[in-house]
Amino acid sequence: MEFSELIKTATVESVLLAGTGLPPVRGTLCITSHHLLLSSCPGGDGQPGTVELWLLIRNVDAVEKRVQNLGWYQPPRTNGSPRDTRLAGSSGTITLRCKDLKVLQLEIPGMEECLNIASSIEALSSVDSVMMMYPFFYRPQDLRLEEGWHLFPLEQYFQKIAAQTSQWRLSDLNRDFTTCPTYPAGVIVPAAVSDDTLRRAARFRQGGRFPVLSYYHPRNGTVMLRSSQPLTGPNRKRCPEDEVLLGTVLDEGERGFIIDTRSAQAAKQARMMGGGTEPKSSYPQWKRLHRPLERGRPLQESFIKLVEACNDASLSMDRWLSRLESCRWLSHVKAALSTACLAAQCLDREEASVLVHGAEGTDTTLLVTALAQVILDPGCRTMAGHPFHLRCARSAYSHARLKQEAPLFLLFLDCVWQLSRQFPFSLEFGESLLLALFDNAYASDYGTFLCNNEKERCLCKVKENTHSLWAWLNQPEEKKKYLNPLYSHNPLVIWPSVEPQSLQLWQGLFFRWIRPSQYLDEARAEMQRLVEANEAPAKESAGSRLSRSLSDPAARMENER
């Protein structure tokens, strides 16, 4: 396929660009294989136009077109010329609803040009071949392809664990991705369990996702595991190897908790379809806790309703509060944080190991285990396996939604933002990093969020042919933009409040393009300047003043904890 085949009209003059909070700009619109460009008209004296819009077409979630002011006329005929009928005074408006929630309008003179531009954008934004996406063509001069891909090696994390205990080992049984197609090549497993036992246990778990270590709690040696559901089925099948694997995690007399992110009823229905849960009789040291978390279509619909409500400027206060409640987004945030706190509590306070799984083990399982690590481990609050291609194919505006789309990663980022708001000194990064990750998960110049797992990334040679987002973010000048100027290392566990009064709508994301952020940006810049201008004692004093100004009791008590 050639990109030129999808572009019906490449250039249109005198296009008017408008957007919420943006002054209208008229210029020349150009479509390339991956970008939509609009250059404002030159200001005279041969001066080049200014690029007012540089939009990655992959960022377009929905295209809406409207043609208006139609009229036909026949120009005068010259001798022997054929009769010519043309469209007079026609124009069209294209509304681009983007995956980062931005909404843009393009007023284009001429019906044919309008329809061609809309058709071209729809075709280019729907290209689904990973290797045809922009990261495979993007070549910034100041980055090397190999940079950023090995910042978080599993081997390095395993060495930290090995320095404290010999009960775990790093296995490469999945090096060819045959044991589990969605797991990475290396996994951390109990040292006493052989690879052959692991392979047999994998056949008893949906998708081959057998229990592997996600986090080792250095304070007491407990661990957090993740997996998919066991395939017990209606006949209550057993797998001795799976029972040995989970039994090896616990010493004699110890107990562990299985946090199932489905309801008890959903787990029972899954058993009738071939899935199920770990029966108490076969796993006597493990206690099962059900903490249902929404995923898939219900979560996507919640996201859509929230964005629709945020974009509706006609709402009264009562109507806005009603729609905010009915979309249930903050309820999903509360449920996710509550379940992560439960996992963290089991590890830190109950001193019990935890296995987290739902059905597939690729969505809510990763959400809970990742959030629990941020709560427990200060190392996870610094700059130092989710199926992104399926889940982030569309955002809140698309009319052609697939069953596998769900904003699980956005929910994770929202939960982290809630933590950063309640504990403003404990996270090294700020809101700007979370926004950058959200934007790049849906449409990016970089290959970090391409594909659904490491196997797919290897097949597409993503690491060899695209740049890592982390290589860009870790450049000194860029990294400075994403750091929290008030950060102070906090070695303690941070226990968030999940009471309704403590959770807030993430306005920096959902209202980002709706209302101007000039004053907030100026306040952040001034905060950065003050912190840099003062020594550490002054920084602590400024932090204390800010802490007292916060209304959330949980935030005020942070340092006391």
Side-chain angles (χ1 to χ4, degrees), residues 285-299:
Q285 290 179 268
W286 293 88
K287 180 180 180 180
R288 189 169 68 252
L289 305 172
H290 289 278
R291 293 296 184 273
L293 298 177
E294 292 285 7
R295 55 188 292 274
R297 189 56 182 257
L299 191 61

